[in-house]
């Protein structure tokens, strides 16, 4: 069994209705229900009232026709009652009918016309009227001449006689009045609903305007870049919408307080980050000199002194670690300078030539790998800092051979689309652990077990790549699966023709 869960009411396109729309629809629905209720009750009350008037007028109309009569047993007149004359139209309203029945047989009948004359009733109408009994009370019948309210009266004082006078009054005036009442109520209700809809829309919009201001402020805050850097949140809820005492005002006041709190927290975070960055920059700068000295003295001892094999091994180990430490310090110093905005001047850079040069260097340093190029016929020019883009290529190519086994094919491709240039470095290594992809560009993030290389790393290479790419208004992405890992960089392309076409050397890697 599946439980049915009703969701929020939606508009024609499946979108949720606005609050003001819901309020207007609910208000109009309630008013429509009230109008319908008033209309129905008014119609029923007026119908009962007018029907009662017709019932009260039936007996006087019968009296004007001669009821009650004064028939006596000795009277041998052919008329059923000496005082009853259905044809007497004096004082009768047009449309009044009278008919005398003796033992269910019609004796005489008359219908008062508009000009005051009378005419007999149709046989079909008399058949319907003959069924009426004085004890039944007033009833309504559809006759050939219209709808009537009719009643039967006994007119013979003789016990056992069945002489009956049936009198009827047309309900045309009552029905017309009720129809007019219905039209009037419907018209007034529609006009009232239209007026209520317009007035309600204006009032509800004005009442919900502070809520819309709150929504605009919250939307503006949500679109601000708050993840890094100096962050200022200039928007606030206007004072008119942040007054305590109303629901919306209370929410506006709370939203302003939350924005102030978030602003303070972001400022504290930025101050803390700046302290760490300054410390890293200062520490990296200060460490360069002693590390250089350690390396120099170590090399001097190895070159000029005769030392034991164990001492030589220790000194070589010291030299190796000092070089690794120097590389780490240089990377940290580079990141610190990028964080502080210390960069070179951007210019037109021939990306194709840089790819050829850096790939040639990578081929020389890692001959056990297959290096391939996929370049367009014409040079691809980007607007960037040449030294930074060169560093990006060096790091990506170094990353490819450090974390893949010998024999891996590394392909560097350059493409251009509209105003963007694409650079892709793809290798056929074992791939990257999917759990590591989300943090692969994080500083000091390493996953040597994800790829089968043996060369260690500081975990800063790809972080430097991302920082350099973003500093040049570019983007970088990575996708990986066993047998194919691809880093793609997109950079803003310059207008073609800024850099002349250069001949590619014949010893470039293919």
């Amino acid at each position: 069994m599946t439980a049915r869960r009703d969701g929020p009411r939606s508009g024609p396109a499946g979108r949720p209705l606005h609050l003001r729309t819901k309020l207007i629809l609910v208000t109009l629905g309630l008013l429509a229900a009230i109008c319908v209720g008033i209309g129905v009750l008014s119609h029923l009350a007026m119908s009962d009232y007018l029907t009662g008037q017709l019932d009260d007028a039936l007996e006087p109309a019968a009296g004007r026709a001669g009821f009650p009569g004064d028939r006596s047993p000795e009277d041998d007149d052919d008329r059923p009652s000496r005082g009853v004359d259905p044809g007497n139209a004096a004082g009768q309203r047009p449309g009044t009918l009278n008919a005398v029945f003796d033992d269910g047989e019609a004796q005489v009948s008359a219908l008062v016309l508009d000009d005051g004359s009378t005419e007999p009733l149709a046989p079909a109408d008399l058949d319907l009227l003959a069924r009426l009994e004085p004890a039944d009370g007033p009833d309504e019948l559809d006759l050939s001449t219209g709808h009537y309210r009719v009643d039967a009266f006994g007119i013979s004082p003789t016990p056992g006689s069945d002489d009956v006078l049936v009198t009827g009054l047309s309900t045309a005036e009552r029905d017309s009045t009720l129809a007019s009442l219905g039209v009037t109520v419907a018209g007034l209700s529609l006009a009232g609903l239209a007026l209520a809809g317009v007035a309600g829309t204006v009032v509800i919009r004005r009442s919900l305007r502070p809520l819309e201001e709150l929504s605009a402020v919250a939307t503006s805050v949500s679109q601000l870049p708050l993840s890094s850097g100096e962050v200022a949140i200039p928007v606030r809820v206007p004072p008119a919408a942040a007054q305590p005492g109303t629901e919306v005002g209370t929410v506006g006041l709370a939203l302003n307080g939350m924005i102030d709190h978030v602003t303070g927290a972001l400022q504290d975070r930025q101050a803390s980050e700046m302290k760490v960055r300054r410390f890293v920059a200062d520490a990296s700068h200060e460490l360069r000199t002693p590390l250089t000295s350690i390396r120099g003295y170590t090399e001097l001892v190895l070159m000029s002194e005769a030392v034991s094999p164990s001492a030589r091994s220790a000194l070589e180990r010291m030299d190796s670690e000092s070089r690794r430490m120097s590389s780490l310090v240089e990377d940290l110093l580079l990141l610190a300078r990028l964080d502080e905005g210390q960069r070179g001047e951007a210019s037109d850079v021939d990306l194709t030539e840089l790819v050829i040069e850096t790939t040639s260097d990578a081929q020389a340093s890692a001959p056990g790998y297959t290096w391939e190029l996929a370049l367009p016929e014409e040079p691809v020019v980007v607007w960037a800092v040449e030294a930074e883009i060169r560093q990006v290529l060096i790091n990506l190519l170094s990353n490819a051979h450090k974390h893949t086994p010998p024999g891996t094919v590394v392909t560097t491709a350059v493409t251009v689309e509209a105003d963007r240039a694409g650079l892709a470095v793809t290798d056929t290594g074992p791939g990257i652990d999917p759990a590591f992809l989300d943090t692969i560009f994080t500083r000091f993030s390493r996953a040597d077990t994800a790829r089968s290389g043996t060369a260690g790393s500081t975990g800063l290479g790809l972080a430097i790549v991302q920082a350099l790419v973003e500093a040049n208004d570019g983007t970088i992405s990575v996708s990986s699966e066993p047998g194919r890992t691809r880093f793609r960089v997109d950079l803003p392309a310059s207008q073609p023709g800024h850099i002349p076409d250069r001949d590619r050397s014949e010893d470039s890697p293919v």
Side-chain angles (χ1 to χ4, degrees):
M1 180 179 294
T2 302
R4 182 176 181 267
R5 181 174 298 176
D6 295 332
R9 183 173 296 180
S10 301
R15 296 173 296 178
L17 295 176
H18 291 289
L19 178 59
R20 61 173 177 266
T21 305
K22 291 182 180 179
L23 291 175
I24 292 172
L25 292 177
V26 170
T27 302
L28 292 180
L30 292 175
L31 289 177
I34 292 173
C35 290
V36 170
I38 292 175
V40 172
L41 292 177
S42 299
H43 186 277
L44 293 176
M46 183 61 72
S47 179
D48 289 343
Y49 174 75
L50 295 178
T51 301
Q53 284 189 330
L54 285 176
D55 292 343
D56 294 340
L58 283 174
E59 188 169 346
R64 284 188 290 274
F67 169 77
D70 56 354
R71 180 178 180 183
S72 63
E74 297 84 7
D75 194 351
D76 56 359
D77 194 347
D78 292 336
R79 300 176 65 84
S81 176
R82 192 167 38 181
V84 176
D85 183 9
N88 181 18
Q92 301 281 19
R93 70 175 72 174
T96 303
L97 63 84
N98 289 287
V100 177
F101 295 90
D102 185 6
D103 293 332
E105 295 292 333
Q107 301 299 311
V108 62
S109 63
L111 173 66
V112 180
L113 304 178
D114 293 339
D115 58 2
S117 61
T118 61
E119 67 177 10
L121 296 174
D125 297 339
L126 292 174
D127 291 340
L128 294 175
L129 296 175
R131 302 173 186 174
L132 299 177
E133 297 292 338
D136 295 340
D139 196 4
E140 293 192 15
L141 294 176
D142 285 319
L143 304 179
S144 61
T145 55
H147 195 71
Y148 278 81
R149 185 75 175 178
V150 296
D151 197 5
F153 304 93
I155 60 175
S156 176
T158 305
S161 175
D162 292 330
D163 293 345
V164 176
L165 170 64
V166 176
T167 299
L169 297 175
S170 175
T171 62
E173 292 184 3
R174 184 201 66 179
D175 296 340
S176 176
T177 301
L178 292 177
S180 299
L181 176 63
V183 171
T184 302
V185 171
L188 291 176
S189 298
L190 291 177
L193 288 174
L195 180 61
V198 174
T201 300
V202 173
V203 172
I204 291 174
R205 280 183 177 273
R206 181 172 299 177
S207 301
L208 294 181
R209 189 172 301 163
L211 192 60
E212 294 177 352
E213 294 177 352
L214 264 65
S215 175
V217 170
T219 301
S220 299
V221 173
S222 68
Q223 294 174 349
L224 292 175
L226 305 178
S227 59
S228 62
E230 295 184 3
V231 177
I233 306 180
V235 293
R236 292 293 188 278
V237 179
Q243 297 293 334
T246 63
E247 290 80 359
V248 177
T250 302
V251 174
L253 195 62
L255 182 57
N256 278 344
M258 183 183 69
I259 293 176
D260 292 338
H261 179 71
V262 171
T263 301
L266 292 174
Q267 291 174 348
D268 293 342
R269 182 208 65 186
Q270 179 64 13
S272 177
E273 287 184 359
M274 293 304 299
K275 289 180 181 179
V276 173
R277 290 175 180 176
R278 282 194 296 269
F279 170 77
V280 172
D282 294 342
S284 300
H285 182 74
E286 294 297 329
L287 286 172
R288 296 174 71 186
T289 300
L291 286 173
T292 302
S293 299
I294 292 173
R295 290 170 54 192
Y297 282 116
T298 303
E299 292 175 358
L300 179 61
V301 171
L302 289 173
M303 293 172 59
S304 62
E305 299 293 335
V307 296
S308 64
S310 60
R312 176 172 292 276
S313 176
L315 289 173
E316 290 176 349
R317 180 65 177 171
M318 183 183 300
D319 181 66
S320 174
E321 290 301 320
S322 63
R323 290 179 183 277
R324 180 172 176 274
M325 188 67 177
S326 297
S327 176
L328 174 60
V329 167
E330 292 295 334
D331 289 343
L332 287 174
L333 190 58
L334 174 59
L335 287 172
R337 289 173 176 172
L338 288 174
D339 291 338
E340 294 177 357
Q342 299 180 13
R343 303 176 55 234
E345 293 293 331
S347 62
D348 287 331
V349 178
D350 189 344
L351 185 61
T352 307
E353 181 181 7
L354 279 183
V355 168
I356 294 174
E357 293 176 357
T358 53
T359 306
S360 298
D361 294 341
Q363 185 181 40
S365 62
Y369 293 78
T370 301
W371 302 90
E372 296 182 352
L373 293 176
L375 304 177
E377 293 296 329
E378 297 295 329
V380 176
V381 182
V382 296
W383 182 258
V385 179
E386 181 175 356
E388 295 177 352
I389 302 304
R390 184 184 297 274
Q391 187 67 48
V392 167
L393 283 165
I394 292 173
N395 285 15
L396 289 178
L397 294 175
S398 174
N399 182 76
H401 75 76
K402 280 183 179 180
H403 299 286
T404 57
T408 300
V409 178
V410 181
T411 303
T412 305
V414 176
T415 59
V416 61
E417 297 178 2
D419 60 345
R420 305 292 290 182
L423 169 67
V425 177
T426 308
D427 66 66
T428 58
I432 304 173
D433 185 355
F436 179 64
L437 286 176
D438 293 336
T439 58
I440 194 171
F441 296 109
T442 305
R443 298 180 185 184
F444 297 105
S445 179
R446 291 181 294 181
D448 294 336
T449 58
R451 308 178 83 173
S452 60
T454 58
S457 68
T458 62
L460 293 177
L462 292 179
I464 291 174
V465 168
Q466 184 185 45
L468 292 174
V469 169
E470 292 179 350
N472 288 277
D473 297 327
T475 60
I476 184 170
S477 60
V478 58
S479 61
S480 180
E481 60 185 19
R484 185 179 185 274
T485 298
R486 181 172 181 262
F487 288 87
R488 177 176 175 83
V489 176
D490 288 311
L491 295 168
S494 295
Q495 295 295 328
H498 285 206
I499 294 181
D501 192 4
R502 297 179 174 88
D503 294 333
R504 301 171 187 170
S505 62
E506 296 182 356
D507 58 349
S508 298
V510 179

